[in-house]
Amino acid sequence: MSSSASVNSNTVQLWSFPGGIHPPERKAPANETPIRRFPIAPELIVPLRQHIGALGELVVQVGDYVRKGQALTQPGIEHGLPVHAPTSGIIVEIGDFPLNHPSAMRGPGIRLRADGDDLWIDRHPLPNYQSSTRLQVLEHLHQYGIAGLGGAGFPTARKIASANGIDVLIINGVECEPYIAADDRLMREHADAIVRGTEALQWLTQAKRVVIAIEDNKPEAITAMQSAAQNATSSVIEVVVIPTKYPSGGERQLIQILTGKQVPAQGLPLDIGVLMHNTGTAFAVSRALEKGEPLIERVVTLTGEALATPCTAWVPLGTPVAYLLEQAGFTPERDQRVIMGGPMMGFTLPHLQVPVIKTTNCILAPTRTELPAAGPEMPCIRCGACADVCPASLLPQQLYWFAKSKDYDGLKTHHLPDCIECGACAYVCPSEIPLVQYYRQAKAEMREQAIEHQKAEIARQRFEARQARLEREKQERLERHRKAAEAREAALAAREQNTPAASEGDNDPVKAALARVKAKKAAAEGATTSSASSKDDQVAAAVARAKARKAAREAENQTSNTPAKPSAQNDAPRVEKPVSNKDQVAAAVARAKARKAARDAEKDKDS
Amino acid sequence: MSFYVASSPHHHLRRSTADLMRLVLIAMIPGILAQWYFFGWGVILQLALAIAVALASEALCLLARDRAPSSGLRDYTAVVTAALLAVSIPPLAPWWIIVIGTLFSIVVVKHLFGGVGQNIFNPAMAGYVLLLISFPVQMTSWLPPSSLTELPGLWDSILVFLFGFTGEGFSLEQIRRVESGTLLDAIVMATPLDHIKTELAQGFTLSEAKSAPIFSGAAGMGWQWVNAAYLLGGLFLIQQRVITWHIPGALLGSLGLFALIGALIAPDHLPNVDIHLLSGATMLAAFFIATDPVSAATSTRGKLVYAGLIGVLIYVIRTWGGYPDAVAFAVLLANLCVPVIDQYTRPTVYGHREERS
């Protein structure tokens, strides 16, 4: 093994991010004992959705016997991330279960009765992944349900898929939130596997630089990781120690610390050539590749003074929180809070029948003396302590005023969407204003508003399309009417040629003029036709003209006994002799024929 | 069983507004003691009456506004306002001066604008300016420091404070004159800043002005020690992280810079840096008044601009204005600028660097 990996973190330049706080860390006593393993819970609830992204397609049914690691869902048409049986047993129910969510929302899940044997399904590791294609390895990770264990649980394969040739791959072992010690213990005990997983991630992303970042309050983890990195085959892996400050482990903050760059607002780390994975994820990757084990268990911190034996533990996903707390000697007090996650960003559970999922890193059961409940909200004194600690350089007190007055424009211009809800502002607020709660609510309202706006936009587009269609139809109708009117007018004109106009002498010159214009136009059309270059066209046009002339003449002859004049229409007003209805009709027909012939000739020329 | 539901974060720095205000009051103690030592019992009497009036009016205002008086009184903000006003006025000013000032500060400047956190102006300074404009004689009747005269005892102080005369029948004016020793320079006992202003206006040079007995030290007997005591308290506040260095630093920096430039240009006609920094209410302003969070700018850059502006204004008003000291006017004028300062000193939010550059 080569020992060329750079482990001297002191040579690496670090940057800082504005703000941040130093709450009591309280990683002990949970981080002092090795990761424990409890007996398997009698019943587990596996939510089908444990992460961001589409759901897999269910492939089991009630009554099925499943083995540990057997896929319960498969990537279906939407290529959702599958979930797997955390242990062997019988599926007793498929339905809606309370989810791992602050509002006790319910969602689809599978209830599995463990048989206690914990029998594995056949495992198919991919140890020599380097000889496979990148796509095959990604598919393997996807099939094995690997998701980000740090934050939102984004499917790892999908995250990597778009990240080929990045500059920096960051493995986040910062774990900056107080109490949480899951990654700390994992790094101490499984440093080699984490580094091997990191190497696989490096191979997949072809990252030029790989940084494993750890806060300096975890010296044992740092030592373990450094020696593991030293033994690594890859020489691009560096272990970087960063100063302890909350929230250094936030994705955007850690990127700033390590690279000095900021992820653009509404952008992704990929936009600046960075990809970040949690140490737990790196470990899960190595397990999936080396042992063929899907992601069915994770390290969970069980801590807080309401527990007799705070510790970290390997917990099969789907284990109910109530069972876990019981294992750790839980004695609830009055108004006990049970927090899923840490004290800064975790959420309280309304009841304990919720399962551990891929993103559950901590269950905190503090006593009231340990973490006193928030006092009454006092008026803001504009002290600006919140602005001093905001890692995103927001102005929390301004956002608070805007949120209170529901001024969504103000919230947008002050960049509320860039708030990472780390809770530093509310932590320092001397008036104990639950700032994050205000922001969350405002964000939800803004989302709602955006959805409403989108709906309104769609409705508007639909309305406008309908208006346009109605207008078009109206125009078409008008056009039809106009044509019909023209036809009628023509018919009228034809009739008037034969009608004595003495009684309406005033109007007649106008009509005569109109008629003359029409005649000229017709003649011009004929002329255009005759100017066509092709011989056939010329012949056809000539024939048409002749026909037209003949028809006109005939009509003239039929409708009047006076000798034909050079242009029938010219003389129309002067025709004094009454004509019969029949004659009028005949004349109209003749004229229509003439026009049609002229038009045909035109068409021939065009085509 | 059901569990307690709360919104994150679940952990709070256990330091409330009341804690902060208590620390501010503690930090004022050295300055108050210095004032007591150099100017007698008056400052204690003013403090006691101001705090009593402030608490009473705060409670009445809260009642009138349908708020629980207990929570409002417990945050100590009214006490701090009262204390700042009390140490700003001449120690033996008649009792109704402080009563009017405190009532105005609490009722009008604070509660009519919406109570804690809503006032545009620093309540103590607005109250001070009201008094200074309305009662110029009483508001400029400072006593000479104890080293130049024998100050009235506690009982006589109380009598002067309440009735205007000591037990022997001396008025405040008489105390200021008669007890100042030699009759020649005891026509009126002015503060150092006042003295310099008057002398310079009469065509004397700075060194001549500073030859008066009140200038036995660097920046005026007594006053320099009072300022030093407030500086000490202010450093305590910074050490306790109640305030940051930005406001005092920028205020003293800009005032000192301008004083230095002035002293370099006209060394005999403009007071030097030490006089500006250690006279009048400079240190009180820098650490206790300008740092009032409610009426100050909020962002770090904003604080620097805001306090720098106060420093400039203090210098300008002291040098060319009609009043010997200028802290209250400077602070109120800067208060007016806070919304604009806040608007233009917003920090660049994470991920928005490109848009700004």
Side-chain angles (χ1 to χ4, degrees), chain A residues 522-604:
Chain A
E525 275 170 8
T528 329
T529 318
S530 61
S531 73
S533 55
S534 119
K535 237 184 183 175
D536 282 357
D537 281 352
Q538 284 182 0
V539 171
V543 169
R545 261 202 318 277
K547 270 186 189 160
R549 237 181 265 127
K550 196 177 162 218
R553 219 163 29 234
E554 273 171 11
E556 201 75 28
N557 287 342
Q558 286 230 326
T559 52
S560 104
N561 293 331
T562 52
K565 296 271 164 75
S567 168
Q569 281 91 344
N570 276 355
D571 296 332
R574 277 178 245 140
V575 175
E576 288 174 8
K577 206 176 170 191
V579 287
S580 70
N581 257 354
K582 196 183 155 197
D583 285 346
Q584 282 180 9
V585 172
V589 168
R591 285 167 52 78
K593 271 185 187 159
R595 219 184 285 124
K596 192 171 172 252
R599 213 159 42 225
D600 286 348
E602 189 89 348
K603 227 182 265 168
D604 285 348

Side-chain angles (χ1 to χ4, degrees), chain B residues 125 128-129 132 191 193-194 197 251 255 276 279-282 285 289 309-334:
Chain B
M125 288 304 102
Y128 179 85
V129 165
L132 186 62
T191 61
L193 282 175
D194 205 357
K197 196 168 190 84
L251 194 158
L255 177 59
H276 271 293
S279 274
T282 305
I289 294 170
L309 179 65
I310 295 178
V312 175
L313 287 171
I314 289 178
Y315 184 78
V316 167
I317 300 173
R318 276 182 183 175
T319 309
W320 295 288
Y323 290 90
D325 205 352
V327 165
F329 293 108
V331 168
L332 293 187
L333 286 171

Side-chain angles (χ1 to χ4, degrees), chain A residues 237-388:
Chain A
I237 299 178
E238 329 160 42
V239 175
V240 173
V241 181
I242 65 165
T244 300
K245 174 164 100 170
Y246 179 83
S248 295
E251 185 173 62
R252 280 156 197 257
Q253 279 63 46
L254 186 54
I255 287 172
Q256 193 171 6
I257 292 171
L258 294 173
T259 68
K261 292 189 217 163
Q262 291 189 345
V263 182
Q266 275 120 50
L268 290 173
L270 273 183
D271 299 342
I272 52 168
V274 178
L275 188 72
M276 189 178 293
H277 283 288
N278 181 260
T279 43
T281 313
F283 180 76
V285 165
S286 78
R287 267 206 175 176
L289 293 177
E290 292 165 8
K291 296 190 174 172
E293 290 179 11
L295 181 51
I296 51 169
E297 64 174 10
R298 64 157 298 145
V299 183
V300 178
T301 318
L302 302 169
T303 186
E305 286 175 10
L307 300 181
T309 53
C311 60
T312 52
W314 282 108
V315 177
L317 302 182
T319 306
V321 168
Y323 176 82
L324 277 179
L325 290 181
E326 202 179 294
Q327 300 298 311
F330 179 43
T331 42
E333 57 180 17
R334 202 167 57 81
D335 285 341
Q336 174 71 47
R337 272 174 301 169
V338 176
I339 299 162
M340 186 158 268
M344 300 304 297
M345 292 183 76
F347 54 88
T348 50
L349 293 174
H351 61 80
L352 303 186
Q353 295 313 310
V354 297
V356 165
I357 60 167
K358 290 175 184 174
T359 55
T360 309
N361 53 5
C362 181
I363 296 161
L364 171 60
T367 58
R368 248 175 308 163
T369 46
E370 184 184 8
L371 288 183
E377 179 182 338
M378 304 291 286
C380 168
I381 56 164
R382 283 173 44 91
C383 65
C386 47
D388 291 342

Side-chain angles (χ1 to χ4, degrees), chain A residues 24 252 256 260 262-263 265 336 343-344 346 348 350 371 380-383 392-393 397 413 415 418 426-427 430-432 440, chain B residues 3-17 116-117 293-294 296 298 342 346 348-353:
Chain A
R252 280 156 197 257
Q256 193 171 6
Q262 291 189 345
V263 182
Q336 174 71 47
M344 300 304 297
T348 50
L371 288 183
C380 168
I381 56 164
R382 283 173 44 91
C383 65
S393 300
Q397 83 280 7
T413 56
H415 304 296
D418 293 298
Y427 174 79
S431 296
E432 297 212 37
R440 278 204 201 103
Chain B
F3 292 90
Y4 189 79
V5 173
S7 174
S8 72
H10 308 283
H11 196 188
H12 296 274
L13 191 62
R14 306 237 59 91
R15 186 189 242 181
S16 63
T17 306
V116 181
V294 178
T298 43
D342 276 347
R346 277 159 51 185
T348 308
V349 173
Y350 185 105
H352 291 271
R353 258 185 209 168

